[in-house]
Amino acid sequence: MLSCTEFIPLYSELFKYIEDKADHAAVVRYWQHISKEYVEPRLGELVKEKGIEGCWDYWTKALNEEAADFTITYDEEEQEFEIIMHYCPSKGLLNQLTHMESYHDYCGHCAHLYAPLLKEYGLESEEDYSETDKAKCRIKFYVPKK
Amino acid sequence: MAKRVMDRRAADNKYLHRDFHVSGDLGIQYVGERYGDNGVKEYLRRFTTSYYSPLIADIKERGLAALKEHIESIYEIEEASEVLKTTIKDDELLVEVSRCPAIAYMKSIGHTPSKWYIEETRTVNETIADNADLGFELIHYDIETGKAAYRFFRRCF
């Protein structure tokens, strides 16, 4: 057994392995696969049941368990949900592991796991991954105004 | 209308996201289904050689005590020290696990571990041992519960 705290480097090595066996497109297909197999039964079901509020339930649990450094805002009136990731524990860990090289597009998985799935449930998104080298990002989901 | 805000620093919580056991198993399963049994072994060997290189260096320097401490730390992190028994005797480290906390968790949320999940024990430890110039033997492993016994030992060629 590996500890669940060792998953992030295992994940990074998985992306490297798949890309080494095929190409980056194969890694993207893996992310799409995980979005369907793992994220949809969890986040998707919550959003299906509770609307955008399901995002609050999903990420407040996950990000607390991951000991992330974040600010999450859910605006019921505006039907907006935003995560400001001040310091992502996953990317932060990989940045600290100087003895191993992390996958060059590690943060790419977030863009493929969540936004395309939530679009199927009617949520649009705005994402900023311009500072992932500092383990920072921002993602906002919202119900489009009619 | 309500507006909710949650603001957390890393130090506010313990890092223990058990769903990562499921994510890890899904990754192994994906590799197994596309690249076969040897693909799983290759993937985990690469991971182990890369990620555990500081541990392997420590084992080479301090011997089986370093490996024992590492294994104990895994079960401490998982809050399951009670399932683990480690014994060092005559250049051998015997590890006995009465049940795997990861398998128990995965099953508790309805995820059945893939047939390749055993490799997180077999291939990972085999690779650590090989890279540290040790022998490794998986004595038994129950795929239902993760109950297992395995040993590391000084190998001779």
Side-chain angles (χ1 to χ4, degrees):
Chain A
M1 179 189 75
L2 297 170
S3 160
C4 60
T5 59
E6 298 172 303
F7 168 70
I8 299 305
L10 183 69
Y11 210 29
S12 176
E13 286 298 308
L14 174 63
F15 304 159
K16 287 165 68 177
Y17 182 80
I18 294 172
E19 183 160 300
D20 189 39
K21 288 289 175 187
D23 50 25
H24 184 264
V27 180
V28 171
R29 285 195 295 277
Y30 175 70
W31 293 336
Q32 292 165 339
H33 167 79
I34 287 301
S35 182
K36 282 288 174 198
E37 293 296 317
Y38 179 86
V39 182
E40 185 162 20
R42 292 166 173 78
L43 175 60
E45 283 300 309
L46 284 168
V47 172
K48 185 178 174 184
E49 180 193 344
K50 303 176 79 172
I52 193 169
E53 187 183 4
C55 294
W56 172 273
D57 293 356
Y58 179 79
W59 269 293
T60 52
K61 179 177 186 293
L63 294 184
N64 275 297
E65 289 180 359
E66 293 179 48
D69 195 321
F70 65 92
T71 303
I72 288 180
T73 306
Y74 168 52
D75 189 326
E76 187 180 355
E77 184 174 9
E78 294 296 323
Q79 287 289 280
E80 292 179 354
F81 173 83
E82 182 179 51
I83 301 170
I84 299 175
M85 185 63 76
H86 307 297
Y87 191 78
C88 170
S90 303
K91 182 63 174 174
L93 172 66
L94 291 174
N95 287 346
Q96 289 169 15
L97 292 177
T98 53
H99 67 278
M100 65 182 286
E101 186 180 348
S102 61
Y103 182 59
H104 65 87
D105 188 25
Y106 180 82
C107 294
H109 76 275
C110 275
H112 287 87
L113 256 55
Y114 306 115
L117 171 70
L118 292 180
K119 193 173 179 64
E120 294 177 20
Y121 291 87
L123 303 185
E124 296 293 333
S125 63
E126 292 174 10
E127 298 163 287
D128 180 358
Y129 295 112
S130 62
E131 291 189 285
T132 53
D133 59 320
K134 297 173 191 158
K136 293 181 179 180
C137 66
R138 185 185 72 82
I139 185 164
K140 181 166 145 182
F141 296 104
Y142 59 95
V143 177
K145 291 191 168 50
K146 308 222 170 164
Chain B
M1 289 291 187
K3 186 172 182 177
R4 294 182 222 164
V5 178
M6 182 179 285
D7 195 39
R8 293 284 186 274
R9 303 286 77 83
D12 293 339
N13 290 295
K14 180 182 179 181
Y15 179 34
L16 191 64
H17 186 48
R18 296 185 197 275
D19 270 13
F20 280 159
H21 288 304
V22 177
S23 301
D25 184 53
L26 290 174
I28 290 168
Q29 182 176 1
Y30 190 85
V31 171
E33 288 172 349
R34 278 151 189 81
Y35 306 109
D37 297 349
N38 284 335
V40 172
K41 289 179 182 176
E42 184 182 22
Y43 160 45
L44 291 175
R45 280 189 196 121
R46 289 188 189 187
F47 160 75
T48 304
T49 298
S50 176
Y51 177 64
Y52 283 130
S53 58
L55 170 67
I56 290 158
D58 195 24
I59 296 168
K60 284 181 175 176
E61 186 178 326
R62 296 196 297 125
L64 292 170
L67 186 52
K68 179 176 181 286
E69 288 169 15
H70 161 72
I71 293 168
E72 288 171 347
S73 75
I74 287 177
Y75 287 81
E76 283 169 17
I77 289 168
E78 295 286 334
E79 299 175 336
S81 294
E82 72 280 2
V83 306
L84 177 71
K85 182 182 176 189
T86 54
T87 311
I88 293 181
K89 187 180 177 186
D90 298 334
D91 289 331
E92 176 181 300
L93 169 61
L94 175 65
V95 179
E96 296 167 281
V97 179
S98 60
R99 65 173 176 81
C100 172
I103 290 178
Y105 174 76
M106 287 190 278
K107 288 191 166 183
S108 77
I109 60 165
H111 176 81
T112 301
S114 73
K115 69 175 184 177
W116 294 283
Y117 186 72
I118 184 177
E119 301 306 332
E120 273 200 18
T121 296
R122 181 163 50 197
T123 298
V124 168
N125 285 313
E126 200 171 66
T127 305
I128 290 171
D130 194 43
N131 288 346
D133 298 323
L134 295 171
F136 172 79
E137 180 190 10
L138 181 61
I139 301 165
H140 68 78
Y141 184 95
D142 177 9
I143 58 170
E144 295 299 324
T145 65
K147 181 178 180 180
Y150 51 91
R151 68 186 187 104
F152 299 88
F153 52 94
R154 181 175 291 185
R155 66 182 174 189
C156 305
F157 291 105

